[in-house]
Amino acid sequence: MLHTTTVRTALSAAVAMSALLIPAAGSASATTPSGSGQTQTVTAAAASYDAKCRSHSRTYVLKKYYRGPQAITLRCGTSTWGWKHIKARHGWNSTMDRKISTAIWSGDPNGRGGYSTYLNQCPRVEKFRTIIGTPAGSNDLLTAYKVDRAAVAGAVAC
């Protein structure tokens, strides 16, 4: 009897774990080739943003990121700024969204009107950069991208 109970408990745990590992219907994603020969993940949010930008103007606010009480807006934009630019030039997925949020929320000012995150090493190496300020507004996200080079401005001796 003890063996049967143990097996049932193990099977119940396995079923519960598999339910956690299988993506939910709302979290669907697919892969698409990018211009650089790499594969990018296209999230449901990206498809939703595409649809919103098709039916709204370039100044439509898709999302707000926060640095304390200050809101930085992500607008549909154009091929040179905003979400359309970021998606086309740097790719858009949940990781990009998270990196933007982290850089704006807790990153250091980068001297380009935005915020950056850095590797915790000496000399400092910039990992990710955002640039703020667009033709539509001074608190709008112009672009965001991965950076992999040593920080020059404001370098501190180790």
Side-chain angles (χ1 to χ4, degrees), residues 4 14 17 29 35 40 47 63-64 66 74 77-78 99 102 108 112-116 119 125 131-132 137 146 154:
T4 305
M17 287 301 292
S29 66
Q40 298 176 341
K63 182 169 184 157
K64 291 183 181 181
Y66 292 91
L74 174 62
T78 67
K99 287 180 178 183
T102 300
D108 294 336
R112 303 275 317 268
Y115 304 96
S116 295
L119 292 174
V125 175
I131 299 176
I132 312 295
K146 181 182 174 200

Side-chain angles (χ1 to χ4, degrees), residues 34-35 111:
S34 69

Side-chain angles (χ1 to χ4, degrees), residues 26-73:
S27 64
S29 66
T31 57
T32 59
S34 69
S36 63
Q38 299 174 352
T39 304
Q40 298 176 341
T41 302
V42 177
T43 62
S48 171
Y49 287 177
D50 258 339
K52 286 179 183 176
C53 289
R54 275 194 303 273
S55 61
H56 291 87
S57 75
R58 65 186 183 152
T59 59
Y60 180 79
V61 175
L62 291 169
K63 182 169 184 157
K64 291 183 181 181
Y65 297 99
Y66 292 91
R67 184 169 181 93
Q70 179 187 16
I72 306 295
T73 53

Side-chain angles (χ1 to χ4, degrees), residues 41 43 45-46 49 62-66 72 74 83 86-87 90-105 128 130 141 144-145:
T41 302
T43 62
Y49 287 177
L62 291 169
K63 182 169 184 157
K64 291 183 181 181
Y65 297 99
Y66 292 91
I72 306 295
L74 174 62
W83 183 77
I86 294 169
K87 180 186 172 219
H90 310 293
W92 184 267
N93 57 31
S94 59
T95 301
M96 174 62 89
D97 184 35
R98 181 182 45 80
K99 287 180 178 183
I100 291 169
S101 181
T102 300
I104 290 172
W105 177 254
F128 191 81
T130 63
L141 185 62
Y145 52 92

